């Protein structure tokens, strides 16, 4: 009960403090007074300025506003504008289609693959790509259908990358938010920790960790990757929080008695969502490439679980004459990384216009 | 500036200590360096005990860390645990090989990237710009080891089918080359190309972005308004300032790659830093691994510092106090 009232006060404080800045959550009353050109301005600036727009964002999508003069104008939330910018980004949409396709293959791997990934066939050793017997990508030295192995390998690699991203984002955001919000010695301690992780050569630490902590199981490999991938997000979240901390709406929230956790989660975090999503997207690509390199070097995911990098390693040890074993898994990796980078680019333009790369 | 540098150096010392202790503890807890010796029937338990005593393997890890530290400081990282081989000469050798590879690759990459970046920015949205944007996106998305393997597949199949040897795909030199320089180039060409491609993709994007920002700035418009030729405007006014961000990126990158292009060196079996590290890691010998990690970490810290100092020097608006 008291909590509800406090929330109301929080919001009232922010509305007053944020002054003339666009108030997306307030569209019902506020936007009505905006002249049409101000609506256009909001479309281009689009900096998330109000936390409530993200947290309590349910049910405030696009709505039509009818002016007294009878002109109908569509008002959008910040997310509406972001979604629009994203949908118009052609490369990003292409990347999204590509990734949906990849997810489709990963989810339905056992339906798509014509063979189990470990079925041996000694009558078909090392045959090149052919439609005969559905060996589209040929077979390997044990006669296992390489297309099926690539499909299952793709599934493993994609799940590992997604898991790494989820975990790294949670760790990075927590550390960055705490460091940025509290400042002082907490900030110092946490950022020195981040420096420590950054001082070490990434691949080397990964190799040391994976050789001693657990080669083989995809889950362990993912844990190790996540333990080193959170630094980028931590730095970005900390930077955002440091600047947000001085904003009036935070002061207002504090003044109205909101606790630290509440301010961090409900008021500040939503303002950092844009950069977090962009960085997280790029982590997916980084994780795919790094896991492939690890597995290729023989320190990552071990047989019998196929992974894309490890399949390339199989091909390499065959003496490079059987080109299909090296080529196909690699093309898939490039395709995934390319799609994700395109999506990341589109998301950056859509969500985080302040960090937009010079228009290209 | 000097105080800034000194402060940064002093400040990195505890970080390096902490990092080295963590890694040491990690390697020491998790690995058994004697596992390979134990498997050999000709090595008696007494010999093993002697090694254990000599290397203080029974002491607690913090104590062992200080033994290691003492060796590292007074005796150039000491000797390997397995085989008692001095570490420093090996390190010098592999560092030299890696330096050849990395410096050649980075120089080529820089020249290409600067040209591509400037040209794409000046002719923005031209066919040149679009094609190199596409290429660099591809370059960033391509795993280094796969590119290396594809080049190897190409060269190997040319050799097998047509008996023409353009490049070698492994090692640094042949056993008995007629022409040392040519032989070295044939060996280094592929790894250099692989490393350079990865760097060009990254650098040219930075260069293009920086150049675009500069070209659209007020002082360049002023230069044009004064009636200077386009060439002077681009080369004298815009280009120099656009190099600043790239200098930082290159310095940061150098710190990382000098530690050994682990993947490239492994694929091409080059006797460099990266391969040295991997080999010793697999053997479970903590001392060379530690030596390698310390050298690389120092390099990274050093080049981070260089990046900041160079940035402050090139851009007078940045001042460190």
């Amino acid at each position: 009960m008291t909590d509800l009232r406090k929330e109301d006060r929080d919001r009232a404080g922010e509305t007053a403090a944020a002054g003339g800045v666009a108030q997306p959550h307030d569209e019902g009353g506020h936007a009505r007074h905006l002249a049409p050109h101000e609506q256009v301005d909001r479309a281009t600036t689009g900096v998330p300025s109000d936390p409530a727009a993200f947290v309590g964002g349910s049910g405030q999508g696009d709505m039509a506003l009818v002016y007294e003069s009878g002109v109908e104008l569509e008002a959008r939330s910040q997310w509406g504008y972001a979604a629009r910018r994203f949908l118009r980004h052609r490369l990003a949409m292409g990347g999204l289609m590509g990734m949906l396709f990849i997810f489709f293959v990963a989810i339905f791997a056992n339906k798509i693959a014509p063979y189990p990934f470990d079925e041996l066939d000694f009558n078909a050793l090392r045959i090149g790509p052919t439609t005969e017997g559905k060996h589209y990508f040929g077979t390997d030295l044990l006669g296992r259908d390489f297309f099926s192995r690539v499909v299952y390998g793709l599934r493993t690699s994609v799940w590992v990358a997604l898991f790494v991203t989820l975990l790294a984002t949670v760790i990075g955001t927590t550390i960055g938010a705490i460091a940025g919000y509290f400042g002082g010695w907490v900030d110092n301690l946490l950022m020195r920790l981040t420096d420590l992780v950054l001082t070490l050569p990434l691949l080397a630490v990964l190799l040391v960790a994976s050789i001693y902590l657990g080669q083989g199981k995809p889950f362990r490999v993912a844990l190790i990757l996540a333990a080193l991938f959170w630094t980028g997000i931590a730095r970005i979240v900390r930077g955002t929080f440091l600047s947000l901390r001085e904003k009036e709406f935070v002061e207002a929230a504090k003044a109205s008695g909101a606790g630290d956790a509440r301010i961090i989660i409900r008021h500040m975090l939503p303002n950092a969502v844009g950069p977090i999503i962009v960085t997280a997207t790029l982590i997916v690509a980084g994780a795919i490439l790094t896991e492939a390199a690890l597995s290729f070097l023989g320190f990552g995911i071990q047989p019998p679980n196929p992974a894309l990098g490890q399949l390339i390693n199989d091909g390499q040890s065959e003496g490079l004459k059987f080109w299909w074993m090296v080529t196909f898994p690699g093309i898939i990796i490039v395709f995934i990384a390319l799609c994700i980078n395109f999506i990341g680019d589109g998301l950056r333009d859509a969500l985080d216009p302040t960090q937009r790369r010079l228009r290209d | 500036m000097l105080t800034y540098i000194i402060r940064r150096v002093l400040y990195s010392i505890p970080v390096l200590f902490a990092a080295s202790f963590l890694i040491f503890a990690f390697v020491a807890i998790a690995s058994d360096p004697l596992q390979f010796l134990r498997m050999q029937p000709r090595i008696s338990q007494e010999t093993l005990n002697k090694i254990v005593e000599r290397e203080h393997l029974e002491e607690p890890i913090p104590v062992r860390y200080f033994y290691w530290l003492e060796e590292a400081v007074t005796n150039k990282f000491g000797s390997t645990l397995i085989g008692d081989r001095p570490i420093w000469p090996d390190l010098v050798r592999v560092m030299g090989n890696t330096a050849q590879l990395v410096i050649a690759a980075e120089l080529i990459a820089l020249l290409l990237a600067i040209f591509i970046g400037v040209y794409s920015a000046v002719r923005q949205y031209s066919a040149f710009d679009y094609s190199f944007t596409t290429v660099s996106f591809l370059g960033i998305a391509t795993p280094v080891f796969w590119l290396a393997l594809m080049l190897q597949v190409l060269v190997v199949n040319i050799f097998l089918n047509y008996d023409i040897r353009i490049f070698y795909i492994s090692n640094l030199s042949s056993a008995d080359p007629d022409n040392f320089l040519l032989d070295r180039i044939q060996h280094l060409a592929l790894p250099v190309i692989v490393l350079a491609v990865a760097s060009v993709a990254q650098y040219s994007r930075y260069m293009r972005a920086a150049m675009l920002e500069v070209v659209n700035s007020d002082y360049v418009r002023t230069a044009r308004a004064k009636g200077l030729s386009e060439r002077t405007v681009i080369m004298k006014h815009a280009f120099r300032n656009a190099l600043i961000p790239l200098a930082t990126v290159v310095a940061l990158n150098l710190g990382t790659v000098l530690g050994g292009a682990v993947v490239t060196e492994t694929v091409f079996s080059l006797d460099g830093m990266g391969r040295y590290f991997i080999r010793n890691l697999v053997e479970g010998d903590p001392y060379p691994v530690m030596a390698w990690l310390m050298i690389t970490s120092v390099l990274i810290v050093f080049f981070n510092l260089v990046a900041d100092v160079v940035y402050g020097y090139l851009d007078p608006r940045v001042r460190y106090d």
Side-chain angles (χ1 to χ4, degrees):
Chain A
M1 182 61 204
T2 47
D3 197 44
L4 267 179
R5 246 188 279 142
K6 200 162 71 183
E7 185 178 345
D8 281 339
R9 267 185 277 127
D10 285 353
R11 292 201 174 185
E14 285 156 30
T15 315
V21 190
Q23 297 285 323
H25 76 270
D26 202 22
E27 251 144 22
H30 192 72
R32 227 174 282 260
H33 309 298
L34 286 178
H37 73 269
E38 284 179 286
Q39 295 277 337
V40 176
D41 280 349
R42 275 168 54 183
T44 48
T45 40
V47 183
S49 58
D50 189 87
F54 300 103
V55 180
S58 56
Q60 45 163 293
D62 301 357
M63 57 171 84
L65 296 174
V66 184
Y67 281 73
E68 280 165 30
S69 58
V71 181
E72 208 170 306
L73 203 85
E74 244 179 73
R76 287 190 171 82
S77 65
Q78 299 288 351
W79 283 122
Y81 283 112
R84 210 162 179 219
R85 277 194 295 267
F86 184 74
L87 290 174
R88 282 191 182 157
H89 199 288
R90 259 182 283 161
L91 279 180
M93 288 314 289
L96 192 65
M97 295 295 161
M99 276 319 283
L100 287 178
F101 173 70
I102 291 289
F103 283 138
F104 179 80
V105 175
I107 292 169
F108 296 105
N110 41 5
K111 299 257 165 33
I112 290 170
Y115 295 90
F117 62 85
D118 51 358
E119 187 181 288
L120 311 178
D121 179 359
F122 291 105
N123 295 318
L125 304 183
R126 299 194 190 113
I127 55 174
T130 164
T131 50
E132 213 174 296
K134 290 189 176 169
H135 295 307
Y136 305 118
F137 289 179
T139 59
D140 69 1
L141 72 161
L142 295 172
R144 294 175 292 195
D145 177 49
F146 209 62
F147 179 72
S148 308
R149 288 184 68 72
V150 168
V151 168
Y152 280 102
L154 178 148
R155 172 192 256 181
T156 319
S157 294
V158 167
W159 288 155
V160 167
L162 288 183
F163 187 65
V164 169
T165 309
L166 183 72
L167 214 59
T169 308
V170 171
I171 302 174
T173 307
T174 314
I175 290 188
I178 291 175
Y181 179 76
F182 291 104
W185 67 268
V186 181
D187 179 31
N188 239 322
L189 185 76
L190 289 176
M191 281 306 111
R192 292 302 78 79
L193 182 71
T194 316
D195 283 350
L196 192 71
V197 176
L198 283 174
T199 307
L200 301 166
L202 177 77
L203 193 56
V205 177
L206 282 174
L207 292 176
V208 175
S210 60
I211 199 170
Y212 295 132
L213 284 189
Q215 278 162 289
K217 292 265 168 51
F219 179 69
R220 290 196 188 166
V221 175
L223 281 185
I224 293 168
L225 282 171
L228 290 167
F229 267 52
W230 54 268
T231 48
I233 281 201
R235 289 199 149 184
I236 284 172
V237 172
R238 170 184 175 261
T240 318
F241 267 57
L242 276 181
S243 65
L244 285 178
R245 201 162 62 134
E246 314 298 330
K247 288 272 164 61
E248 288 87 346
F249 73 83
V250 174
E251 210 173 307
K254 262 186 202 159
S256 52
D260 290 333
R262 185 186 180 80
I263 294 177
I264 290 179
I265 294 170
R266 295 212 58 160
H267 296 270
M268 292 167 86
L269 198 58
N271 283 292
V273 160
I276 290 176
I277 291 184
V278 173
T279 324
T281 317
L282 299 177
I283 289 184
V284 182
I288 287 261
L289 292 176
T290 316
E291 182 266 311
L294 270 185
S295 301
F296 168 73
L297 290 171
F299 292 84
I301 296 164
Q302 304 281 331
N305 304 309
L308 292 174
Q310 175 214 329
L311 290 174
I312 297 180
N313 188 6
D314 284 358
Q316 184 212 19
S317 51
E318 283 298 288
L320 303 176
K321 246 169 77 184
F322 312 103
W323 56 269
W324 58 90
M325 288 190 222
V326 176
T327 311
F328 291 121
I331 290 178
I332 307 284
I333 297 177
V334 174
F335 180 75
I336 297 177
L338 205 60
C339 287
I340 295 171
N341 283 337
F342 284 153
I343 296 176
D345 234 38
L347 282 176
R348 184 186 358 241
D349 287 356
L351 289 175
D352 196 12
T354 46
Q355 273 195 11
R356 187 184 306 207
R357 294 211 276 189
L358 294 161
R359 192 58 246 157
D360 39 13
Chain B
M1 181 66 107
L2 190 66
T3 22
Y4 174 76
I5 295 176
I6 293 173
R7 208 176 59 202
R8 279 283 299 266
V9 171
L10 288 179
Y11 165 76
S12 65
I13 291 174
V15 173
L16 283 178
F17 269 112
S20 68
F21 181 71
L22 277 182
I23 297 282
F24 186 87
F26 204 47
V27 176
I29 292 172
S31 78
D32 177 15
L34 300 180
Q35 58 177 344
F36 288 106
L37 296 182
R38 276 191 230 287
M39 278 189 276
Q40 297 187 6
R42 294 215 311 248
I43 294 178
S44 66
Q45 191 58 41
E46 269 173 46
T47 328
L48 286 177
N49 290 343
K50 265 185 200 156
I51 296 180
V52 168
E53 199 183 332
R54 190 187 70 211
E55 305 290 347
H56 312 284
L57 291 185
E58 282 169 341
E59 309 272 354
I61 284 168
V63 178
R64 282 179 61 192
Y65 175 73
F66 281 105
Y67 278 118
W68 171 78
L69 198 62
E70 189 193 345
E71 274 289 289
V73 173
T74 58
N75 205 12
K76 293 181 179 168
F77 294 117
S79 314
T80 56
L81 204 159
I82 302 161
D84 204 16
R85 189 180 151 87
I87 290 174
W88 186 247
D90 280 347
L91 267 183
V92 171
R93 192 190 71 241
V94 293
M95 266 196 278
N97 293 340
T98 292
Q100 281 178 31
L101 172 69
V102 166
I103 290 171
E106 289 292 295
L107 276 181
I108 294 172
L110 260 184
L111 288 178
L112 273 178
I114 289 176
F115 173 76
I116 295 172
V118 171
Y119 200 83
S120 333
V122 174
R123 300 253 183 287
Q124 198 184 1
Y125 302 137
S126 63
F128 180 92
D129 183 24
Y130 275 123
S131 37
F132 271 95
T133 302
T134 317
V135 170
S136 68
F137 259 113
L138 271 177
I140 291 169
T142 307
V144 173
F145 67 90
W146 186 65
L147 183 65
L149 282 172
M150 291 313 285
L151 287 177
Q152 285 189 339
V153 166
L154 191 71
V155 170
V156 164
N157 282 308
I158 288 179
F159 182 69
L160 289 177
N161 294 330
Y162 305 102
D163 203 26
I164 308 171
R165 186 182 287 294
I166 317 170
F167 300 123
Y168 293 93
I169 61 161
S170 65
N171 292 332
L172 256 183
S173 45
S174 313
D176 187 19
D178 302 326
N179 181 339
F180 179 78
L181 189 66
L182 182 70
D183 181 67
R184 180 52 62 89
I185 290 174
Q186 277 186 316
H187 278 95
L188 270 183
L190 286 186
V192 166
I193 291 173
V194 168
L195 275 187
V197 166
S199 295
V200 166
Q202 192 194 354
Y203 294 167
S204 63
R205 296 311 293 168
Y206 276 101
M207 192 64 210
R208 179 176 179 276
M211 196 68 192
L212 277 179
E213 186 176 328
V214 171
V215 163
N216 292 322
S217 64
D218 288 342
Y219 79 93
V220 168
R221 197 178 306 137
T222 314
R224 285 209 179 101
K226 283 194 299 187
L228 295 178
S229 73
E230 188 62 20
R231 199 188 160 73
T232 322
V233 172
I234 297 296
M235 294 316 292
K236 277 213 151 156
H237 292 249
F239 176 62
R240 288 188 183 178
N241 276 334
L243 279 178
I244 297 175
L246 191 63
T248 317
V249 178
V250 173
L252 287 179
N253 206 24
L254 262 184
T256 331
V257 279
L258 272 177
V262 175
V263 174
T264 317
E265 284 170 11
T266 312
V267 176
F268 290 102
S269 343
L270 280 180
D271 185 25
M273 294 274 282
R275 204 151 157 266
Y276 179 80
F277 169 72
I278 288 228
R279 222 175 29 219
N280 284 299
L281 185 64
V282 174
E283 282 181 7
D285 192 332
Y287 301 137
V289 169
M290 288 301 296
W292 183 89
L293 271 169
M294 285 333 291
I295 298 262
T296 356
S297 304
V298 169
L299 279 173
I300 292 180
V301 169
F302 173 75
F303 277 100
N304 275 340
L305 181 61
V306 169
D308 285 349
V309 170
V310 166
Y311 195 83
Y313 176 75
L314 291 178
D315 188 346
R317 287 172 302 182
V318 179
R319 279 284 164 255
Y320 305 112
D321 36 40

